Amino acid sequence: MEDLVRLLRGHVAQLGARTAPTIPALLCVQQLCSESIPEGYMPSRVYLVRLAEATRELSAYVEHSGLDSITMVGRRRRPRSTVNVLCGTVFTIALLCLVFAASGPRT
């Protein structure tokens, strides 16, 4: 039980670093994280479920909003180039260099 709560709290810390500190979902899950684990079988399970649901809601917010305070602020990420695009670009540059070298005068 404690391990699961510790794991969820770690996820909350990581997700919290990627969101603005005033987001209601973040404030709710941080409040749950600050509470101690209740005693008893049912109260502790209810707490774990509430913490998991709040963490999932925060994760969905971060994924849907596209906000990342480390790399950008309020903008969408540029899609990453795929390996095929990179290989095609290198091949094109190499071909242009070969054509340029072959078009020069021979001595």
Side-chain angles (χ1 to χ4, degrees):
M1 177 71 184
E2 290 84 14
D3 292 337
L4 291 173
V5 170
R6 190 176 316 118
L7 182 67
L8 286 173
R9 287 177 178 171
H11 289 306
V12 168
Q14 290 176 350
L15 292 169
R18 299 180 66 192
T19 62
T22 58
I23 302 301
L26 178 62
L27 297 174
C28 175
V29 76
Q30 284 177 336
Q31 181 183 4
L32 279 171
C33 286
S34 66
E35 297 174 4
S36 62
I37 302 172
E39 295 294 324
Y41 181 80
M42 282 306 289
S44 63
R45 284 358 182 227
V46 169
Y47 172 76
L48 182 63
V49 169
R50 288 179 57 211
L51 183 61
E53 288 173 348
T55 305
R56 182 177 49 195
E57 182 182 331
L58 181 62
S59 175
Y61 175 82
V62 169
E63 183 178 316
H64 179 38
S65 69
L67 294 176
D68 190 349
S69 62
I70 297 171
T71 59
M72 62 181 197
V73 178
R75 294 182 293 162
R76 290 273 176 194
R77 283 187 205 169
R78 220 177 58 191
R80 288 182 149 183
S81 299
T82 62
V83 174
N84 291 338
V85 172
L86 184 61
C87 289
T89 303
V90 170
F91 176 75
T92 304
I93 292 172
L95 186 62
L96 288 173
C97 289
L98 182 64
V99 168
F100 180 71
S103 66
R106 297 180 189 240
T107 56

